[in-house]
């Protein structure tokens, strides 16, 4: 993936974890798939681009945190 902040092409790895009950706005809880993202450049991990996302069954991202 091209990362403009670095002006470089980086390798991004997405790792699907498990379904988790996630609290959304309005106090609603939904089972969402947790996906962890890691980014490396020239073989070195770039932790500032690490994030966790939660997606629903069709793949729509509903929540993320860095």
């Amino acid at each position: 993936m091209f990362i403009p902040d670095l002006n470089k092409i980086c390798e991004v790895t997405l790792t699907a974890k498990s379904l988790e009950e996630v609290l959304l706005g309005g106090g609603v809880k939904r089972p969402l798939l947790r996906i962890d993202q890691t980014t490396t450049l020239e073989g070195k991990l770039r932790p500032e681009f690490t994030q966790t996302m939660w997606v629903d069954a069709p793949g729509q991202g509903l929540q993320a945190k860095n």
Side-chain angles (χ1 to χ4, degrees):
M1 174 192 302
F2 178 73
I3 298 189
D5 292 351
L6 302 174
N7 196 30
K8 299 273 185 182
I9 302 290
C10 296
E11 183 174 320
V12 174
T13 303
L14 300 175
T15 305
K17 296 292 186 171
S18 60
L19 287 176
E20 297 180 2
E21 285 288 323
V22 177
L23 182 62
L24 300 174
V28 176
K29 281 190 174 184
R30 288 188 51 193
L32 300 175
L33 179 64
R34 177 185 173 144
I35 299 176
D36 291 335
Q37 174 184 309
T38 57
T39 303
T40 56
L41 175 62
E42 299 169 355
K44 296 180 182 173
L45 182 64
R46 298 299 301 249
E48 67 271 29
F49 297 106
T50 296
Q51 68 174 348
T52 300
M53 300 166 274
W54 287 267
V55 300
D56 63 10
Q60 178 180 351
L62 296 177
Q63 190 167 10
K65 74 172 188 172
N66 291 343

